[in-house]
Coordinates of all heavy atoms in Angstrom, one line a residue:
M6 N 118.6 181.6 97.0 CA 118.0 180.4 97.2 C 117.9 180.1 98.7 O 118.8 180.1 99.4 CB 118.5 179.3 96.4 CG 117.8 178.0 96.4 SD 118.7 176.8 95.4 CE 117.3 175.6 95.2
K7 N 116.7 179.8 99.2 CA 116.4 179.5 100.6 C 116.7 178.1 100.9 O 116.2 177.2 100.2 CB 114.9 179.8 100.9 CG 114.5 179.8 102.4 CD 113.2 180.2 102.4 CE 112.7 180.0 103.8 NZ 111.3 180.3 104.0
Q8 N 117.5 177.9 101.9 CA 117.9 176.4 102.3 C 116.9 175.9 103.2 O 116.5 176.6 104.2 CB 119.3 176.5 103.0 CG 119.8 175.1 103.4 CD 121.2 175.1 104.0 OE1 121.7 176.2 104.2 NE2 121.6 173.9 104.3
Q9 N 116.5 174.6 103.0 CA 115.4 174.0 103.7 C 116.0 173.1 104.9 O 116.9 172.6 104.6 CB 114.5 173.1 102.8 CG 113.4 172.6 103.5 CD 112.5 171.7 102.6 OE1 113.0 171.3 101.6 NE2 111.3 171.4 102.9
L10 N 115.5 173.4 106.1 CA 116.0 172.6 107.2 C 115.5 171.0 107.0 O 114.5 170.7 106.5 CB 115.3 173.1 108.5 CG 115.9 174.3 108.9 CD1 115.1 174.8 110.2 CD2 117.4 174.3 109.2
M11 N 116.3 170.1 107.5 CA 116.0 168.8 107.5 C 115.9 168.3 109.1 O 116.9 168.5 109.7 CB 117.0 167.9 106.8 CG 116.5 166.4 106.9 SD 116.7 165.3 105.5 CE 116.9 166.1 104.0
Y12 N 114.8 167.9 109.6 CA 114.6 167.5 110.8 C 114.9 166.0 110.9 O 115.0 165.2 110.0 CB 113.1 167.6 111.3 CG 112.7 169.1 111.2 CD1 112.0 169.6 110.1 CD2 113.0 169.9 112.2 CE1 111.7 170.9 110.0 CE2 112.6 171.3 112.2 CZ 112.1 171.8 111.2 OH 111.6 173.1 111.1
L13 N 115.2 165.5 112.2 CA 115.7 164.1 112.5 C 114.7 163.6 113.6 O 114.6 164.2 114.6 CB 117.1 164.0 113.0 CG 117.6 162.8 113.3 CD1 117.6 161.8 112.0 CD2 119.0 162.8 113.9
I14 N 114.1 162.4 113.3 CA 113.4 161.7 114.2 C 113.9 160.3 114.4 O 114.2 159.6 113.5 CB 111.9 161.5 113.8 CG1 111.2 162.8 113.6 CG2 111.1 160.6 114.7 CD1 110.8 163.6 114.9
D15 N 114.3 160.0 115.6 CA 114.8 158.8 116.0 C 113.7 157.8 116.7 O 113.4 158.2 117.8 CB 116.0 158.9 117.0 CG 116.8 157.6 117.2 OD1 116.3 156.5 117.0 OD2 117.9 157.7 117.8
L16 N 113.4 156.9 116.0 CA 112.2 156.0 116.5 C 112.6 155.3 117.8 O 111.6 155.0 118.6 CB 111.8 155.0 115.4 CG 111.3 155.5 114.1 CD1 111.0 154.4 113.2 CD2 109.9 156.3 114.4
S17 N 113.8 155.2 118.1 CA 114.2 154.4 119.3 C 114.0 155.3 120.5 O 114.1 154.9 121.6 CB 115.7 154.0 119.2 OG 116.6 155.0 119.1
R18 N 113.8 156.6 120.3 CA 113.6 157.6 121.3 C 112.1 158.0 121.5 O 111.8 158.9 122.4 CB 114.5 158.8 121.1 CG 116.0 158.5 121.0 CD 116.8 159.7 120.9 NE 118.2 159.3 120.8 CZ 119.1 159.5 121.9 NH1 118.6 160.2 122.9 NH2 120.3 159.2 121.7
I19 N 111.3 157.5 120.8 CA 109.8 157.8 121.1 C 109.2 156.7 121.5 O 109.5 155.5 121.4 CB 109.3 158.4 119.7 CG1 109.2 157.3 118.6 CG2 109.9 159.6 119.1 CD1 108.3 157.7 117.3
Q20 N 108.0 156.9 122.2 CA 107.1 155.9 122.8 C 105.9 155.7 121.9 O 105.6 156.6 121.1 CB 106.8 156.2 124.2 CG 108.0 156.2 125.2 CD 107.6 156.5 126.6 OE1 106.4 156.6 126.9 NE2 108.5 156.6 127.4
G21 N 105.3 154.6 122.2 CA 104.0 154.4 121.3 C 104.2 153.5 120.2 O 105.1 152.6 120.2
N22 N 103.4 153.7 119.2 CA 103.3 152.7 118.0 C 104.0 153.3 116.8 O 103.7 152.9 115.6 CB 101.9 152.4 117.7 CG 101.0 153.6 117.4 OD1 101.5 154.7 117.5 ND2 99.8 153.3 117.0
G23 N 104.8 154.4 117.0 CA 105.5 154.9 115.9 C 105.0 156.2 115.3 O 105.6 156.9 114.5
D24 N 104.0 156.7 115.9 CA 103.4 158.0 115.5 C 104.3 159.1 116.1 O 104.8 159.0 117.2 CB 101.9 158.3 116.1 CG 100.9 157.4 115.4 OD1 101.3 156.6 114.6 OD2 99.8 157.4 115.8
F25 N 104.4 160.2 115.3 CA 105.1 161.3 115.9 C 104.6 162.6 115.2 O 103.8 162.5 114.2 CB 106.7 161.2 115.6 CG 107.1 161.0 114.3 CD1 107.4 162.2 113.6 CD2 107.2 159.9 113.7 CE1 107.8 162.1 112.2 CE2 107.7 159.8 112.4 CZ 107.8 160.8 111.6
L26 N 105.0 163.7 115.9 CA 104.5 165.1 115.3 C 105.5 165.7 114.4 O 106.6 165.5 114.6 CB 104.2 166.0 116.5 CG 103.1 165.5 117.5 CD1 103.0 166.6 118.5 CD2 101.9 165.4 116.9
C27 N 105.1 166.3 113.3 CA 106.0 166.9 112.5 C 106.7 168.0 113.3 O 105.9 168.8 114.1 CB 105.2 167.6 111.3 SG 106.3 168.7 110.3
P28 N 108.0 168.1 113.3 CA 108.7 169.0 114.2 C 108.5 170.5 113.8 O 108.6 171.4 114.7 CB 110.2 168.8 113.9 CG 110.3 167.4 113.3 CD 109.0 167.2 112.6
K29 N 107.9 170.8 112.6 CA 107.7 172.1 112.2 C 106.2 172.6 112.5 O 105.9 173.5 113.1 CB 108.1 172.4 110.8 CG 107.8 173.8 110.4 CD 108.4 174.1 109.0 CE 108.3 175.6 108.7 NZ 108.6 175.9 107.3
C30 N 105.3 171.7 111.9 CA 103.9 172.2 111.9 C 103.0 171.4 113.0 O 101.9 171.9 113.3 CB 103.2 172.1 110.6 SG 103.0 170.5 110.0
G31 N 103.4 170.3 113.5 CA 102.8 169.6 114.5 C 101.8 168.6 114.1 O 101.1 168.0 114.9
V32 N 101.6 168.4 112.8 CA 100.7 167.4 112.4 C 101.2 165.9 112.7 O 102.4 165.7 112.8 CB 100.5 167.6 110.7 CG1 101.7 167.0 110.0 CG2 99.2 166.7 110.3
T33 N 100.3 165.1 113.1 CA 100.6 163.7 113.4 C 101.0 162.9 112.2 O 100.2 162.8 111.2 CB 99.5 163.0 114.2 OG1 99.1 163.8 115.3 CG2 99.8 161.5 114.5
I34 N 102.2 162.3 112.3 CA 102.6 161.4 111.1 C 102.6 160.1 111.6 O 103.2 159.7 112.7 CB 104.0 161.9 110.7 CG1 103.9 163.3 110.1 CG2 104.6 160.9 109.8 CD1 105.3 163.9 109.7
S35 N 101.8 159.2 111.1 CA 101.7 157.8 111.5 C 102.2 156.8 110.4 O 101.8 157.0 109.2 CB 100.2 157.6 111.7 OG 100.0 156.2 111.9
P36 N 102.9 155.8 110.9 CA 103.3 154.7 109.9 C 102.1 154.0 109.3 O 102.4 153.3 108.2 CB 104.3 153.9 110.7 CG 103.8 154.1 112.1 CD 103.3 155.5 112.2
D37 N 101.0 154.1 110.0 CA 99.9 153.3 109.4 C 99.2 154.1 108.3 O 98.3 153.4 107.6 CB 98.9 153.0 110.5 CG 99.4 152.1 111.6 OD1 100.3 151.3 111.3 OD2 99.1 152.3 112.8
D38 N 99.5 155.4 108.0 CA 98.9 156.2 107.0 C 99.5 155.8 105.7 O 100.7 156.1 105.4 CB 99.1 157.7 107.3 CG 98.4 158.5 106.3 OD1 97.7 158.0 105.4 OD2 98.7 159.7 106.3
E39 N 98.7 155.2 104.8 CA 99.1 154.8 103.5 C 98.6 155.6 102.4 O 98.9 155.4 101.2 CB 98.8 153.3 103.2 CG 99.4 152.3 104.2 CD 99.1 150.9 104.0 OE1 98.3 150.5 103.1 OE2 99.6 150.1 104.7
T40 N 98.0 156.6 102.8 CA 97.3 157.5 101.7 C 98.2 158.5 101.1 O 97.8 159.1 100.1 CB 96.1 158.3 102.4 OG1 96.5 159.1 103.4 CG2 95.1 157.2 103.0
E41 N 99.3 159.0 101.8 CA 100.2 160.0 101.5 C 99.4 161.4 101.6 O 99.8 162.4 100.9 CB 100.7 159.9 100.0 CG 101.7 158.8 100.0 CD 102.5 158.7 98.6 OE1 102.4 159.7 97.8 OE2 103.4 157.9 98.6
D42 N 98.4 161.5 102.4 CA 97.7 162.7 102.6 C 98.5 163.6 103.7 O 98.6 164.7 103.5 CB 96.3 162.5 103.2 CG 95.3 162.0 102.2 OD1 95.6 162.1 100.9 OD2 94.3 161.4 102.5
T43 N 99.3 162.9 104.6 CA 99.9 163.6 105.6 C 101.4 163.7 105.2 O 102.1 164.6 105.5 CB 99.8 162.8 107.0 OG1 98.4 162.5 107.2 CG2 100.4 163.5 108.1
Y44 N 102.0 162.6 104.6 CA 103.4 162.7 104.2 C 103.7 161.7 103.1 O 102.8 160.9 102.8 CB 104.3 162.2 105.5 CG 104.2 160.6 105.8 CD1 105.1 159.7 105.3 CD2 103.1 160.3 106.6 CE1 104.9 158.4 105.4 CE2 103.0 158.8 106.9 CZ 104.0 158.0 106.3 OH 103.9 156.6 106.5
C45 N 104.7 161.9 102.5 CA 105.2 161.0 101.4 C 106.6 160.7 101.6 O 107.5 161.4 102.2 CB 104.9 161.7 100.0 SG 106.0 163.1 99.7
I46 N 107.0 159.5 101.1 CA 108.4 159.0 101.2 C 109.2 159.5 100.1 O 108.9 159.4 98.9 CB 108.5 157.5 101.2 CG1 107.7 156.9 102.5 CG2 109.9 157.0 101.3 CD1 107.5 155.4 102.5
V47 N 110.3 160.3 100.4 CA 111.2 160.9 99.5 C 112.3 160.0 99.1 O 112.8 159.8 98.0 CB 111.6 162.2 100.0 CG1 112.6 162.9 99.0 CG2 110.5 163.2 100.2
N48 N 113.0 159.2 100.1 CA 114.1 158.4 99.9 C 114.2 157.4 100.9 O 113.6 157.5 102.1 CB 115.3 159.2 100.0 CG 116.5 158.7 99.5 OD1 116.5 157.6 98.8 ND2 117.7 159.1 99.9
T49 N 114.7 156.2 100.7 CA 115.0 155.2 101.5 C 116.5 154.8 101.6 O 117.2 154.8 100.5 CB 114.1 153.9 101.3 OG1 114.4 153.5 100.0 CG2 112.7 154.2 101.4
K50 N 117.0 154.3 102.7 CA 118.3 153.7 102.7 C 118.2 152.3 103.3 O 117.6 152.3 104.5 CB 119.2 154.6 103.6 CG 119.6 155.9 102.9 CD 120.7 156.6 103.8 CE 121.1 158.0 103.2 NZ 122.1 158.6 103.9
V51 N 118.7 151.4 102.6 CA 118.7 150.0 103.1 C 120.2 149.5 103.2 O 120.9 149.7 102.4 CB 117.9 149.2 102.0 CG1 117.9 147.7 102.5 CG2 116.4 149.6 101.9
R52 N 120.4 148.7 104.2 CA 121.7 148.1 104.4 C 121.4 146.7 104.8 O 120.7 146.4 105.8 CB 122.4 148.8 105.5 CG 123.9 148.4 105.7 CD 124.6 149.2 106.7 NE 124.7 150.6 106.4 CZ 124.4 151.6 107.2 NH1 124.1 151.3 108.4 NH2 124.4 152.8 106.8
N53 N 122.0 145.8 104.0 CA 121.9 144.3 104.3 C 120.5 143.8 104.3 O 120.1 143.1 105.3 CB 122.6 144.0 105.6 CG 124.2 144.2 105.6 OD1 124.7 143.9 104.5 ND2 124.7 144.5 106.8
N54 N 119.6 144.3 103.4 CA 118.3 144.1 103.3 C 117.4 144.6 104.4 O 116.4 144.1 104.7 CB 118.0 142.6 103.0 CG 118.6 142.2 101.7 OD1 118.4 142.9 100.7 ND2 119.0 141.0 101.6
E55 N 117.9 145.5 105.3 CA 117.2 146.1 106.3 C 117.1 147.6 106.1 O 118.0 148.3 105.9 CB 117.8 145.7 107.7 CG 117.9 144.3 108.0 CD 118.4 144.1 109.4 OE1 118.6 144.9 110.2 OE2 118.7 142.9 109.6
L56 N 116.0 148.2 106.4 CA 115.7 149.6 106.3 C 116.4 150.2 107.5 O 116.2 149.8 108.6 CB 114.1 149.9 106.5 CG 113.8 151.4 106.4 CD1 114.1 151.9 104.9 CD2 112.2 151.5 106.6
V57 N 117.2 151.2 107.1 CA 117.9 152.0 108.2 C 117.5 153.4 108.2 O 117.8 154.1 109.3 CB 119.5 151.9 107.9 CG1 120.0 150.4 108.2 CG2 119.9 152.4 106.5
E58 N 117.0 154.0 107.1 CA 116.7 155.3 107.2 C 115.5 155.6 106.2 O 115.6 155.1 105.1 CB 117.8 156.3 106.9 CG 117.5 157.8 107.0 CD 118.8 158.6 106.7 OE1 119.9 158.2 107.4 OE2 118.8 159.5 105.9
L59 N 114.6 156.5 106.5 CA 113.6 157.1 105.6 C 113.7 158.6 105.5 O 114.1 159.2 106.6 CB 112.2 156.7 106.0 CG 111.6 155.5 105.6 CD1 110.2 155.4 106.3 CD2 111.5 155.1 104.2
T60 N 113.6 159.2 104.4 CA 113.4 160.6 104.3 C 112.0 160.7 103.8 O 111.5 160.3 102.8 CB 114.3 161.2 103.3 OG1 115.8 161.0 103.8 CG2 114.1 162.8 103.3
I61 N 111.2 161.6 104.6 CA 109.8 161.8 104.2 C 109.6 163.3 104.2 O 110.4 164.2 104.6 CB 108.8 161.2 105.3 CG1 109.0 161.8 106.7 CG2 109.0 159.7 105.4 CD1 107.9 161.3 107.7
Q62 N 108.6 163.6 103.5 CA 108.1 165.0 103.5 C 106.7 165.2 104.0 O 105.8 164.5 103.6 CB 108.2 165.6 101.9 CG 107.9 167.0 101.9 CD 108.2 167.5 100.5 OE1 108.9 167.0 99.8 NE2 107.5 168.6 100.1
C63 N 106.6 166.2 104.9 CA 105.2 166.5 105.5 C 104.5 167.2 104.4 O 105.0 168.1 103.7 CB 105.5 167.3 106.7 SG 103.9 168.1 107.4
Q64 N 103.2 166.7 104.1 CA 102.4 167.2 103.1 C 101.8 168.6 103.5 O 101.5 169.4 102.6 CB 101.4 166.3 102.7 CG 101.9 164.9 102.1 CD 102.4 165.2 100.7 OE1 103.3 166.0 100.5 NE2 102.0 164.4 99.7
K65 N 101.7 168.9 104.8 CA 101.2 170.2 105.3 C 102.1 171.3 105.2 O 101.8 172.3 104.5 CB 100.7 170.0 106.7 CG 100.0 171.3 107.3 CD 99.5 171.1 108.6 CE 98.8 172.4 109.1 NZ 98.3 172.3 110.4
C66 N 103.4 171.2 105.7 CA 104.3 172.3 105.7 C 105.5 172.1 104.7 O 106.3 173.0 104.6 CB 104.8 172.5 107.1 SG 105.9 171.2 107.8
R67 N 105.5 170.9 104.1 CA 106.6 170.6 103.1 C 108.0 170.3 103.8 O 109.0 170.3 103.1 CB 106.7 171.6 102.0 CG 105.4 172.0 101.3 CD 104.6 170.8 100.8 NE 105.0 170.4 99.5 CZ 104.5 169.4 98.9 NH1 103.6 168.6 99.6 NH2 104.8 169.1 97.6
S68 N 108.1 170.2 105.1 CA 109.3 170.0 105.7 C 109.9 168.5 105.4 O 109.1 167.7 105.3 CB 109.2 170.0 107.3 OG 108.9 171.4 107.6
K69 N 111.2 168.4 105.3 CA 111.8 167.1 105.2 C 112.2 166.6 106.5 O 112.8 167.3 107.2 CB 112.8 167.2 104.2 CG 112.4 167.6 102.8 CD 113.1 166.8 101.6 CE 112.4 167.1 100.4 NZ 113.1 167.6 99.3
I70 N 112.0 165.3 106.7 CA 112.3 164.6 107.9 C 113.0 163.3 107.8 O 112.5 162.6 107.0 CB 110.9 164.3 108.7 CG1 110.1 165.7 108.9 CG2 111.2 163.8 110.1 CD1 108.7 165.4 109.3
R71 N 114.2 163.2 108.4 CA 114.9 161.9 108.3 C 114.5 161.1 109.5 O 114.4 161.5 110.6 CB 116.4 162.1 108.5 CG 117.0 162.7 107.3 CD 118.5 163.0 107.4 NE 119.2 161.8 107.9 CZ 120.2 161.9 108.8 NH1 120.6 163.0 109.3 NH2 120.7 160.8 109.3
V72 N 114.1 159.9 109.2 CA 113.6 158.9 110.3 C 114.6 157.8 110.3 O 114.8 157.1 109.4 CB 112.2 158.4 109.9 CG1 111.7 157.5 111.1 CG2 111.1 159.5 109.6
I73 N 115.1 157.7 111.5 CA 116.1 156.6 111.8 C 115.5 155.8 113.0 O 114.6 156.1 113.6 CB 117.5 157.2 112.0 CG1 117.4 158.2 113.3 CG2 118.1 157.9 110.8 CD1 118.8 158.5 113.8
G74 N 116.3 154.8 113.4 CA 116.0 154.0 114.5 C 115.1 152.8 114.3 O 114.5 152.3 115.1
F75 N 115.1 152.3 113.0 CA 114.3 151.2 112.7 C 114.9 149.9 113.3 O 114.0 149.0 113.3 CB 114.3 151.0 111.0 CG 113.6 152.1 110.4 CD1 114.1 153.2 110.0 CD2 112.2 152.0 110.4 CE1 113.4 154.3 109.3 CE2 111.4 153.1 109.9 CZ 112.1 154.2 109.3
S76 N 116.1 149.8 113.7 CA 116.5 148.5 114.4 C 115.7 148.2 115.6 O 115.5 147.1 115.9 CB 118.0 148.6 114.7 OG 118.2 149.7 115.5
I77 N 115.2 149.2 116.3 CA 114.3 148.9 117.5 C 113.2 148.2 117.2 O 112.5 147.4 117.9 CB 113.9 150.3 118.2 CG1 113.4 150.0 119.6 CG2 113.1 151.1 117.5 CD1 114.4 149.5 120.7
L78 N 112.6 148.4 115.9 CA 111.4 147.7 115.4 C 111.6 146.2 115.4 O 110.9 145.3 115.6 CB 111.0 148.2 114.1 CG 110.5 149.7 114.1 CD1 110.1 150.0 112.8 CD2 109.4 149.9 115.1
D79 N 112.9 145.7 115.0 CA 113.4 144.4 114.9 C 113.3 143.8 116.2 O 112.8 142.5 116.4 CB 114.7 144.2 114.2 CG 114.8 144.6 112.8 OD1 113.7 144.6 112.2 OD2 115.7 145.0 112.3
V80 N 113.7 144.6 117.2 CA 113.8 144.0 118.6 C 112.4 143.9 119.2 O 112.1 142.8 119.8 CB 114.6 144.9 119.5 CG1 114.5 144.4 120.9 CG2 116.1 145.0 119.1
V81 N 111.4 144.8 119.0 CA 110.1 144.7 119.4 C 109.4 143.5 118.7 O 108.5 143.0 119.3 CB 109.4 146.1 119.1 CG1 107.9 145.9 119.5 CG2 110.1 147.2 120.0
A82 N 109.6 143.4 117.5 CA 108.9 142.3 116.6 C 109.3 140.9 117.1 O 108.5 140.0 116.9 CB 109.1 142.5 115.2
K83 N 110.3 140.7 117.7 CA 110.8 139.4 118.1 C 110.4 138.9 119.5 O 109.7 139.3 120.3 CB 112.3 139.3 118.1 CG 112.9 139.4 116.7 CD 114.4 139.3 116.7 CE 114.9 139.6 115.4 NZ 116.4 139.5 115.3

């Protein structure tokens, strides 16, 4: 059985509005995309009613990506 890599994206280390490229195929993944054409949410982790981690899957190459660093969004929103 082939083991699938899981990539990690830390939102606190990227610039812009939250868009990033899939680490494997380079397709743009945007938090504004609600169609699930580009990616789908596989899992969420919430702590104290705050989102701390998302696991998403790229719809183009099927890679799984852990997205962390959501606490920076709270700072920016304030």
Side-chain angles (χ1 to χ4, degrees):
M6 184 174 196
K7 188 175 170 182
Q8 183 177 1
Q9 184 178 21
L10 289 175
M11 177 142 348
Y12 298 95
L13 178 68
I14 298 291
D15 186 345
L16 295 178
S17 66
R18 296 181 183 254
I19 63 173
Q20 294 184 3
N22 59 356
D24 294 359
F25 60 90
L26 301 178
C27 172
K29 184 173 181 183
C30 70
V32 71
T33 300
I34 295 177
S35 171
D37 296 329
D38 180 10
E39 297 177 1
T40 64
E41 292 196 355
D42 290 340
T43 309
Y44 71 93
C45 66
I46 297 173
V47 177
N48 192 23
T49 59
K50 286 188 182 177
V51 177
R52 186 177 301 130
N53 296 327
N54 291 326
E55 293 184 17
L56 181 63
V57 293
E58 182 179 313
L59 275 180
T60 302
I61 62 174
Q62 181 172 336
C63 175
Q64 297 289 54
K65 182 176 180 184
C66 68
R67 312 307 271 176
S68 293
K69 294 220 168 125
I70 306 164
R71 285 181 48 222
V72 184
I73 61 171
F75 290 97
S76 59
I77 192 71
L78 299 178
D79 293 334
V80 173
V81 171
K83 290 180 182 178

